[in-house]
């Protein structure tokens, strides 16, 4: 039996294996949910993953990649290319408010602050789904035409201040090489879609994310004698409004939308003192790398010139976080029929762009990648009003997990079967 299987050959067996493993995927998810770990601290979670992959007889299991990441290599019994699947493992500094028996009561330090810890973005689901895929594919390995690489990634939500981590660091440490990956797939659960549905876009799907910090320096004085100093609060208020004209007046929103938000405005200690300095912080989101550069320039110029007009000075620091998540058009076109076959054509839809960001974007800069959303709001709830990802009330309908296992396993096998030399 040397003839390789066609893509369809695996559908029935994957469906059976996904059915069989569903209770264990749910159990893993509950265990990980109850024991969430913050970015770069996923010690327990990655040990669980590494043990599972070793028990399945993986050819290679690399631990401590980018601090707490795990890379597993499963070689099939037939020659062929290499495909990668990625799951993120980190939780968020959020105190859980969901009423489930396995709710998190964990607390930890995040950037020096005590906080609750919760899988409020559903990365517990992603990790358990990929553990399930690993078992399904390990059971089929003799028939697999190529190699599947499993990437369990830490710190998707960014590492703590002062640390490196996440997808970029895993790539720097060689997770896409040796053997070299030809394509990568990943998914994200989302409350804005119902369980059973899948959403995707070709090209830009999620935003770039950069943050900025501004220090506006005036001259401290008595609040009843403002003419004796320079008021950084009034100047900073004008800067906030000036920044709002970037998207509304200066960007071509017919090309792509973008966002500039000021989320922090700190200054002053007493009602009758005009302070020396105000600190502003904010975020910039774009769907186009050229617009990203334009906005950086506008933020810098508007801030400095408004400060100067008011007799103050301003320092601007912009930190680049994540690139635009861009689904490779050819790979997207290739992936959609597979998703439709597994999930049902009516359940696979092109969806709106999302202004959140993903460091899956770094994998997609290195190799063709396809990232898709999987609904996790149960039928009895309205996805339009369900608590969003990152909310303390974010809820994952566990019935979505099986679809995650089936879609990732099938995408991997279809890709290998259709990309042989
Ligand atoms: Zn998130
Ligand atoms: Zn996430």
């Amino acid at each position: 039996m040397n003839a390789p299987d066609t893509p369809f050959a695996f559908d029935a067996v994957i469906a059976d294996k996904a059915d069989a493993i569903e209770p264990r995927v749910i159990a893993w998810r509950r265990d990980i949910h109850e024991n969430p770990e913050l970015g770069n601290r996923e010690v327990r979670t990655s040990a669980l993953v590494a043990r599972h992959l070793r028990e399945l007889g993986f050819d290679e299991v690399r631990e401590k990649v980018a601090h707490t990441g795990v890379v597993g290599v499963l070689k099939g019994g037939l020659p062929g290319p290499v495909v990668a699947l990625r799951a993120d493992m980190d939780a968020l500094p959020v105190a859980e408010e969901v009423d489930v028996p396995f709710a998190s009561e964990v607390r930890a330090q995040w950037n020096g602050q005590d906080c609750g810890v919760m899988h409020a973005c559903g990365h517990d689901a992603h990790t358990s789904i990929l553990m399930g895929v690993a078992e399904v594919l390990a059971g089929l390995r003799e028939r697999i035409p190529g190699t599947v690489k499993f990437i369990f990634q830490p710190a998707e939500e960014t590492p703590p201040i002062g640390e490196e981590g996440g997808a970029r660091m895993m790539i720097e440490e060689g997770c896409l090489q040796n053997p070299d990956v030809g394509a990568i797939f990943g998914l994200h659960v989302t409350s804005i879609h119902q369980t059973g549905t899948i959403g995707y876009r070709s090209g830009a799907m999620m935003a770039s994310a950069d943050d900025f910090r501004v220090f506006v320096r005036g001259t401290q004085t008595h609040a009843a004698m403002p003419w004796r100093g320079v008021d950084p609060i009034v100047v900073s208020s004008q800067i906030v409004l000036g920044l709002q004209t970037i998207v509304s007046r200066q960007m071509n929103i017919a090309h792509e939308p973008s966002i500039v938000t000021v989320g922090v405005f700190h200054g002053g200690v007493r009602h009758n003192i005009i302070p020396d300095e105000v600190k502003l912080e904010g975020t910039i989101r774009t769907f186009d790398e050229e617009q990203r550069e334009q906005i950086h320039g506008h933020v810098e110029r508007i801030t400095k010139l408004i400060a100067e007009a008011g007799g103050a000075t301003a320092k601007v620091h912009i930190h680049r976080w994540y690139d635009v998540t861009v689904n490779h058009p050819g790979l997207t076109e290739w992936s959609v029929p597979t998703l439709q076959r597994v999930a049902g054509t009516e359940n696979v839809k092109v969806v709106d762009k999302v202004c959140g960001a993903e460091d899956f974007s770094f994998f997609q800069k290195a190799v063709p990648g396809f990232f898709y959303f999987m609904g996790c709001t149960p039928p009895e709830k309205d996805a339009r009003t369900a608590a969003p990802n990152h909310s303390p009330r974010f809820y994952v309908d566990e019935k979505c997990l099986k679809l995650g296992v089936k879609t990732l396993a099938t995408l991997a096998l279809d890709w290998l079967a259709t990309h042989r030399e």
Side-chain angles (χ1 to χ4, degrees):
M1 263 257 306
N2 269 337
D5 293 284
T6 59
F8 297 93
F10 291 106
D11 287 2
V13 64
I14 288 177
D16 284 351
K17 285 181 182 291
D19 278 343
I21 205 169
E22 184 183 24
R24 291 176 57 222
V25 172
I26 291 173
W28 290 325
R29 186 256 160 175
R30 291 183 181 187
D31 177 52
I32 297 168
H33 189 88
E34 200 170 357
N35 298 283
E37 295 170 305
L38 293 169
N40 280 0
R41 305 289 182 272
E42 305 90 336
V43 177
R44 182 186 184 276
T45 311
S46 59
L48 187 80
V49 166
R51 190 179 343 118
H52 179 63
L53 301 185
R54 287 210 175 88
E55 281 169 6
L56 292 172
F58 266 50
D59 297 276
E60 197 190 320
V61 180
R62 263 177 76 200
E63 289 182 80
K64 298 196 169 71
V65 184
H67 302 300
T68 47
V70 180
V71 179
V73 176
L74 181 72
K75 289 185 184 148
L78 302 167
V82 183
V83 68
L85 303 175
R86 174 271 208 169
D88 40 11
M89 301 188 289
D90 55 321
L92 282 162
V94 171
E96 176 149 15
E97 292 175 18
V98 181
D99 185 18
V100 287
F102 50 92
S104 165
E105 288 172 12
V106 172
R107 298 195 70 82
Q109 291 276 313
W110 179 249
N111 294 335
Q113 264 182 287
D114 177 69
C115 57
V117 184
M118 175 191 175
H119 268 293
C121 201
H123 300 182
D124 52 340
H126 306 165
T127 303
S128 58
I129 285 169
L130 198 55
M131 287 170 74
V133 174
E135 185 150 340
V136 167
L137 295 187
L140 290 167
R141 67 187 302 171
E142 291 316 313
R143 291 167 61 190
I144 295 178
T147 297
V148 188
K149 204 176 236 190
F150 290 77
I151 297 176
F152 290 88
Q153 183 211 304
E156 191 285 323
E157 304 280 2
T158 75
I161 290 173
E163 294 182 28
E164 295 286 311
R168 185 168 12 202
M169 192 175 181
M170 288 197 91
I171 295 165
E172 282 165 7
E173 293 188 9
C175 77
L176 295 176
Q177 288 150 353
N178 197 14
D180 293 358
V181 169
I184 186 164
F185 297 95
L187 60 75
H188 207 301
V189 293
T190 171
S191 70
I192 63 175
H193 303 300
Q194 303 290 153
T195 303
T197 64
I198 284 172
Y200 75 95
R201 281 189 85 80
S202 185
M205 184 166 83
M206 297 180 74
S208 65
D210 302 315
D211 66 30
F212 60 90
R213 275 179 306 146
V214 172
F215 297 93
V216 180
R217 184 152 273 279
T219 307
Q220 187 160 325
T221 181
H222 197 295
M225 291 185 277
W227 58 89
R228 299 285 300 273
V230 174
D231 185 346
I233 289 185
V234 170
V235 169
S236 298
S237 304
Q238 290 173 323
I239 290 172
V240 172
L241 296 178
L243 294 178
Q244 292 315 304
T245 66
I246 295 174
V247 173
S248 68
R249 305 290 84 174
Q250 306 195 37
M251 299 308 295
N252 177 359
I253 56 155
H255 176 59
E256 287 287 5
S258 50
I259 288 173
V260 177
T261 293
V262 176
V264 171
F265 190 124
H266 276 166
V269 287
R270 243 190 97 85
H271 69 281
N272 59 0
I273 300 173
I274 288 171
D276 246 355
E277 190 172 77
V278 164
K279 181 176 82 169
L280 305 176
E281 288 181 27
T283 189
I284 299 164
R285 307 291 167 117
T286 71
F287 291 94
D288 177 278
E289 291 296 334
E290 198 178 320
Q291 292 199 331
R292 185 182 188 185
E293 301 311 321
Q294 288 171 358
I295 291 183
H296 287 192
H298 290 320
V299 167
E300 181 118 15
R301 181 175 45 85
I302 286 172
T303 302
K304 288 196 166 153
L305 292 181
I306 289 178
E308 196 185 321
T313 56
K315 280 197 185 125
V316 182
H317 307 272
I318 298 178
H319 183 86
R320 304 169 72 89
W321 283 105
Y322 294 165
D323 294 343
V324 183
T325 299
V326 181
N327 276 331
H328 185 278
L331 187 64
T332 306
E333 204 181 320
W334 176 91
S335 301
V336 171
T338 296
L339 294 175
Q340 289 174 333
R341 213 170 78 224
V342 176
T345 306
E346 67 287 4
N347 293 320
V348 180
K349 293 195 174 77
V350 174
V351 294
D352 289 344
K353 295 185 176 89
V354 169
C355 294
E358 244 298 332
D359 73 354
F360 191 79
S361 51
F362 293 119
F363 294 116
Q364 291 171 315
K365 277 219 156 156
V367 295
F370 177 67
F371 194 70
Y372 56 100
F373 297 123
M374 212 177 63
C376 68
T377 292
E380 66 274 14
K381 285 191 191 166
D382 186 345
R384 288 168 304 181
T385 54
N389 296 52
H390 291 207
S391 158
R393 291 174 299 284
F394 174 66
Y395 177 81
V396 172
D397 176 9
E398 290 170 333
K399 289 208 171 64
C400 79
L401 302 176
K402 188 164 80 175
L403 185 61
V405 172
K406 283 162 70 174
T407 49
L408 281 179
T410 312
L411 283 167
L413 291 185
D414 276 11
W415 192 86
L416 292 175
T418 54
H419 288 79
R420 291 193 305 266
E421 301 283 286

